[in-house]
Structures are given as C-alpha cells and as structure tokens.
Amino acid sequence: YFYPAFWFQTLLVFAIFLIFLFVIQRFGIQIEVLTLSVYLLLYSIARFIVEGIRVDSALNVGEIHIAQIISVCISIFALLFLIILLVKHYKSRSV
C-alpha cells in the first residue's frame, strides 16, 4: 500500500495558490520580494509534509529523507529573509 503523495502535493500547492489569491486581493503587494519569500516558506513546509509520507525516497539519513532536510533549510532561509524584509519595510515607514 502507498499514499498518493503527488495528489497531496497538488492539493497543498493549490491551497498555497488560494492563500496567495486571498492575501493579494485583500492587501495587495506592498513589499517587493515578499511574495517569493512567503511562497518559498509555504512550499517548503508543504514539501516537508509530502516527503514524510513518500515510501520511494532514494536518499535518507536515518529515517529522515534528504528532501526533508533541504525543505527545512529552505524554510529557515525563507523565514529569515521574510523577517529581514518586514523589519526593513517597517523601519522605512517609521522614518
């Protein structure tokens, strides 16, 4: 037995699209590159979840898939980049 990982990934990517559609319609795009950093964060979280249920992963470190490790690294990078963008944006607004 196996889980349809590609179907789960499709649903998660579609959910990310709906989140972006809602947020952009509601708030617009006020900060450059914000969309990219949020997408990287959300997609890497979704990818981490999907890779956890896959049974055909070729590269593992113990029980953890290499793709999950890469997803965590991308999530951390995107979160730090997002924090830097927001701090820079709000500092420039307060001046």
Side-chain angles (χ1 to χ4, degrees):
Y1 296 107
F2 62 92
Y3 291 104
F6 291 113
W7 175 247
F8 294 150
Q9 184 173 354
T10 302
L11 291 176
L12 288 171
V13 170
F14 186 68
I16 291 170
F17 168 74
L18 291 178
I19 290 169
F20 271 112
L21 188 64
F22 171 75
V23 169
I24 289 173
Q25 284 182 347
R26 175 106 170 140
F27 301 106
I29 299 175
Q30 299 176 359
I31 305 171
E32 292 182 13
V33 195
L34 180 69
T35 309
L36 175 66
S37 59
V38 171
Y39 175 77
L40 284 175
L41 181 65
L42 293 177
Y43 183 75
S44 61
I45 291 170
R47 187 70 185 192
F48 180 84
I49 294 167
V50 169
E51 287 296 326
I53 61 173
R54 289 185 65 170
V55 294
D56 63 342
S57 182
L59 300 173
N60 295 331
V61 176
E63 293 291 319
I64 301 173
H65 304 292
I66 294 292
Q68 286 181 308
I69 295 171
I70 293 170
S71 293
V72 168
C73 293
I74 292 172
S75 295
I76 292 169
F77 170 77
L79 186 61
L80 290 175
F81 192 65
L82 183 63
I83 290 170
I84 291 169
L85 281 174
L86 292 176
V87 166
K88 185 184 284 189
H89 176 72
Y90 287 115
K91 277 187 179 181
S92 69
R93 290 181 96 198
S94 65
V95 172

